[in-house]
Amino acid sequence: MKITVSPAAQKWYQNNLELKPGDGLHFYGKVYGRTNVHFGFSLAFVKQKPQHPYYQAVYQEISYYFDEDDIWFFTGYDLQIDYDADYDGPTYTFVDEEPE
């Protein structure tokens, strides 16, 4: 259960959400929608400083994380976040979790 964020996606978040060092993006699963591995649930995020993250990846002093309440959504998967220039936004791909 890890999150990787490409440099292009990091730049998009910083520019569009005005992220500064110390800020965070809390990712979580929400009802309705779908991902490439979830039906009936989609990925959502909110700009929020982490309090007690279960997992976090820090890039340029910005935390990309999920909490213990969100484990159910991420169990067994790694989340890869990239940027799509045609769409001008981030893309989210869940892949089978890599053993550590």
Side-chain angles (χ1 to χ4, degrees):
M1 290 187 292
K2 68 180 178 183
I3 299 172
T4 56
V5 186
S6 74
Q10 292 170 43
K11 183 176 180 181
W12 185 90
Y13 285 122
Q14 290 170 12
N15 292 341
N16 288 278
L17 301 176
E18 299 177 2
L19 297 177
K20 302 177 296 292
D23 284 342
L25 284 182
H26 175 195
F27 290 92
Y28 59 96
K30 69 174 190 165
V31 177
Y32 301 115
R34 70 178 309 155
T35 71
N36 63 304
V37 297
H38 303 94
F39 184 77
F41 297 94
S42 60
L43 182 71
F45 66 86
V46 62
K47 181 179 171 181
Q48 184 176 55
K49 292 183 189 247
Q51 299 299 313
H52 304 287
Y54 178 82
Y55 173 86
Q56 69 178 332
V58 179
Y59 298 94
Q60 298 178 351
E61 299 180 57
I62 297 168
S63 179
Y64 300 82
Y65 70 97
F66 60 89
D67 289 337
E68 192 169 309
D69 291 341
D70 309 307
I71 292 172
W72 66 273
F73 192 72
F74 294 93
T75 296
Y77 300 106
D78 292 336
L79 174 59
Q80 298 174 344
I81 304 172
D82 205 351
Y83 171 76
D84 182 329
D86 293 333
Y87 167 69
D88 188 28
T91 60
Y92 306 99
T93 306
F94 286 88
V95 297
D96 289 335
E97 183 176 14
E98 291 183 20
E100 293 190 29

